[in-house]
Amino acid sequence: MAAGGVSIAEAAQLAGVSVSRIREYRRRGSLAPADGSRQGVTLSSLKRLIAEREASRRSRARRAKPKLRLVVDNT
């Protein structure tokens, strides 16, 4: 693979997702294809995708409100 790109399998491992998910991101345009490669993505687009996923995960964690339930059994 070129110096500025990684294979789809390597990208999946680095991002912690399945190979099919990386292929879907590439098909949608979220990941840029590496120069001259049918099965590779650029490192810069992979880093951007990982950063966006982390930011999204953190914002969801902030929005989560804890719930307290009281269950009473009067039998």
Side-chain angles (χ1 to χ4, degrees), residues 68-75:
L68 177 64
R69 292 182 189 204
L70 176 63
V71 179
V72 179
D73 183 7
N74 289 328
T75 57

Side-chain angles (χ1 to χ4, degrees), residues 22-43:
I22 292 295
R23 285 188 180 123
E24 179 64 22
Y25 287 141
R26 188 166 182 249
R27 188 186 67 75
R28 286 188 322 185
S30 300
L31 289 171
D35 290 337
S37 172
R38 276 188 30 178
Q39 295 293 317
V41 297
T42 62
L43 282 174

Side-chain angles (χ1 to χ4, degrees), residues 3-6 8-9 12 15 19-20 24-25 28-31 34 38 46 50-51 53-54 59 61-65:
V6 293
I8 288 180
V19 170
S20 61
E24 179 64 22
Y25 287 141
R28 286 188 322 185
S30 300
L31 289 171
R38 276 188 30 178
L46 181 60
I50 292 171
R53 289 183 67 229
E54 283 297 316
S59 69
R62 272 185 295 214
R63 288 185 294 213
K65 303 286 184 199

